[in-house]
Amino acid sequence: MVYETLAFGLFALVTIASSLGVVLVRDVWHSALLLGVALLSVAVHYVMLQAEFLAAMQILVYVGGVLILITFAVMLTRQAQTEEEVTEA
């Protein structure tokens, strides 16, 4: 019982931290990766609630589908930075 509460608190902290990171991080690529962490953490919450089907659908649909589309969109629309822009940032 104590381990379940500790695991829930840990994954709740991971979910909240990565969700805040999605909003606050300036780099779109890192934001998409943090979205993947948040969605996987929600899937872990479903497993802890003994809803394995919802966890599997969370991983297949959201992590597998939506996150891949976001990743391709980021990769295809990203502009090449010059060396001066990199040093300024």
Side-chain angles (χ1 to χ4, degrees), residues 10-75:
L10 175 70
F11 281 106
L13 184 66
V14 169
T15 304
I16 291 171
S18 60
S19 299
L20 283 173
V22 170
V23 177
L24 298 176
V25 170
R26 296 184 65 97
D27 187 24
V28 181
W29 176 250
H30 289 109
S31 180
L33 290 177
L34 285 169
L35 178 64
V37 172
L39 292 174
L40 284 173
S41 181
V42 170
V44 170
H45 285 290
Y46 285 142
V47 169
M48 291 172 63
L49 290 170
Q50 296 177 353
E52 290 83 9
F53 179 75
L54 282 178
M57 291 301 105
Q58 174 82 15
I59 292 172
L60 287 175
V61 173
Y62 288 110
V63 178
V66 174
L67 194 62
I68 294 300
L69 288 176
I70 290 173
T71 303
F72 282 143
V74 168
M75 288 170 48

